[in-house]
């Protein structure tokens, strides 16, 4: 029987925020988490959806592609990847919650073409989802939202034990890890409550990361909630000063830490 295909909601060429160099980012549709500040709400559900356009029409979100078609699109820009140190990033939604036979075949096919592959993940999947892609994936953009398990459950709909365990296992396996911390004012930016306990855990577990990116919350997804007829919940970005203090608190511990993607 043919492997089930995942839905793709966007193939973005010339992306410069999803890993090093110029990249093609492929966004898969469907995610096990439900972050209330998600700026791609059309990425959350595993089924095709309709979004209203500003002219009153509707767009269908979610397309099935064969692995060969995605590889064909990615290869078109190979020269740019080679010149810039870029490649392909698989993002979402959650890549590793998709049919893994398909994802593993895609990652392997890209790697065999000599294309660097990165995977953007929330880590909220069984470690068995990482295993087939691990040998072919150059790095993981590992999104971390909240260290406290109960507050993680409160905001994201489930705890974070699996996310932390997977981070540790990837680090121990020598995977390239770029931690991406979404910074939401008043939610995960308090030094004593949020930042220091996470730093203590990173150090105690000897997690090795290439770099930490502090990504301030933004409202660019607001219109998408309206287009999907869903309720937009407003949050706020921390001040530049607060972000810089957090950046320094990681930097003094020896982590290469930057603000932004
Ligand atoms: S993990 Fe990412 S894609 Fe999934 S709901 Fe959260 S922000 Fe959205």
């Amino acid at each position: 029987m043919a492997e089930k295909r995942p839905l793709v909601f966007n193939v973005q060429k010339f992306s410069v925020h999803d890993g090093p160099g110029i990249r093609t980012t492929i966004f898969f549709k469907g995610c096990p988490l439900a972050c209330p500040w998600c700026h791609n709400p059309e990425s959350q559900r595993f089924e095709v959806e309709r979004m209203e356009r500003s002219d009153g029409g509707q767009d269908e979100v979610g397309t099935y592609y064969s692995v060969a078609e995605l590889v064909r699109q990615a290869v078109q820009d190979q020269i740019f990847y080679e010149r810039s140190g870029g490649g392909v990033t698989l993002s979402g939604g959650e890549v590793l919650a998709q049919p893994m036979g398909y994802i593993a075949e895609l990652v392997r096919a890209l790697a065999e073409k000599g294309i660097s592959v990165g995977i953007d993940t929330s880590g909220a999947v069984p470690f068995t989802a990482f295993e087939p892609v691990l040998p072919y994936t150059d790095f993981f953009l590992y999104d971390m939202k909240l260290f406290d398990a109960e507050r993680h459950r409160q905001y994201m709909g489930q705890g974070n034990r699996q996310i932390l365990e997977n981070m540790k296992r990837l680090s121990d396996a020598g995977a390239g890890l770029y931690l991406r911390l979404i910074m939401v004012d008043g939610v995960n930016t308090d030094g004593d409550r949020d930042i220091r306990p996470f730093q203590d855990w990173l150090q105690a577990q000897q997690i090795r990361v290439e770099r930490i990116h502090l990504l301030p919350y933004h409202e660019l997804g607001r219109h998408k909630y309206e287009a999907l007829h869903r309720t937009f919940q407003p949050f706020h970005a921390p001040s530049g000063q607060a972000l810089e203090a957090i950046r320094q608190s990681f930097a003094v511990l020896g982590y290469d830490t930057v603000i932004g993607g």
Side-chain angles (χ1 to χ4, degrees):
M1 206 172 78
E3 168 69 22
K4 205 169 163 262
R5 291 179 183 181
L7 279 171
V8 170
F9 73 92
N10 192 12
V11 178
Q12 191 178 320
K13 299 244 178 177
F14 294 94
S15 160
V16 291
H17 296 293
D18 297 314
I22 294 171
R23 314 190 70 83
T24 295
T25 305
I26 303 170
F27 293 88
F28 292 92
K29 186 162 161 43
C31 182
L33 297 184
C35 310
W37 47 77
C38 181
H39 66 271
N40 283 329
E42 78 277 34
S43 76
Q44 291 179 328
R45 296 187 184 162
F46 286 86
E47 69 263 5
V48 174
E49 288 178 271
R50 295 187 174 280
M51 274 176 99
E52 219 158 86
R53 288 196 308 265
S54 51
D55 65 4
Q58 289 199 329
D59 287 325
E60 208 164 75
V61 185
T63 306
Y64 293 104
Y65 292 95
S66 66
V67 166
E69 171 57 16
L70 288 179
V71 172
R72 190 190 66 75
Q73 290 198 32
V75 164
Q76 288 170 345
D77 293 338
Q78 194 157 5
I79 186 133
F80 299 107
Y81 312 149
E82 281 163 11
R83 286 188 184 160
S84 66
V88 169
T89 297
L90 308 185
S91 186
E94 177 52 61
V95 180
L96 302 177
Q98 308 296 333
M100 281 312 296
Y102 178 102
I103 298 295
E105 190 187 333
L106 174 61
V107 171
R108 204 166 43 236
L110 291 167
E112 280 166 5
K113 295 269 181 206
I115 295 175
S116 154
V117 180
I119 292 183
D120 182 5
T121 180
S122 67
V125 293
F127 192 74
T128 49
F130 285 94
E131 284 168 342
V133 296
L134 201 45
Y136 307 99
T137 304
D138 283 326
F139 62 86
F140 293 90
L141 304 176
Y142 206 93
D143 303 331
M144 179 74 200
K145 283 97 185 172
L146 260 172
F147 182 68
D148 181 82
E150 238 353 275
R151 296 181 66 249
H152 193 282
R153 185 181 305 282
Q154 180 194 328
Y155 283 101
M156 261 63 70
Q158 59 174 270
N160 60 2
R161 192 166 145 193
Q162 190 177 47
I163 295 168
L164 294 169
E165 281 176 5
N166 286 340
M167 195 193 301
K168 168 72 175 153
R169 290 183 74 169
L170 288 175
S171 170
D172 287 352
L177 269 182
Y178 291 83
L179 274 191
R180 307 223 292 185
L181 311 183
I182 317 300
M183 298 273 93
V184 186
D185 191 40
V187 174
N188 57 11
T189 53
D190 186 88
D192 292 334
R193 185 191 61 190
D194 306 309
I195 305 296
R196 256 185 303 283
F198 180 49
Q199 291 170 336
D200 290 345
W201 180 85
L202 283 175
Q203 292 196 296
Q205 299 294 322
Q206 301 183 310
I207 305 290
R208 290 179 313 154
V209 298
E210 307 283 332
R211 184 172 297 146
I212 296 176
H213 291 268
L214 305 178
L215 305 179
Y217 166 81
H218 62 70
E219 281 200 359
L220 295 178
R222 178 191 275 265
H223 70 282
K224 296 184 179 181
Y225 283 84
E226 286 155 14
L228 288 162
H229 301 288
R230 287 194 220 157
T231 308
F232 174 78
Q233 298 181 53
F235 288 91
H236 300 283
S239 68
Q241 210 178 5
L243 270 177
E244 177 54 21
I246 295 170
R247 191 197 69 73
Q248 284 181 21
S249 74
F250 278 101
V252 294
L253 298 174
Y255 297 104
D256 178 5
T257 309
V258 296
I259 296 170

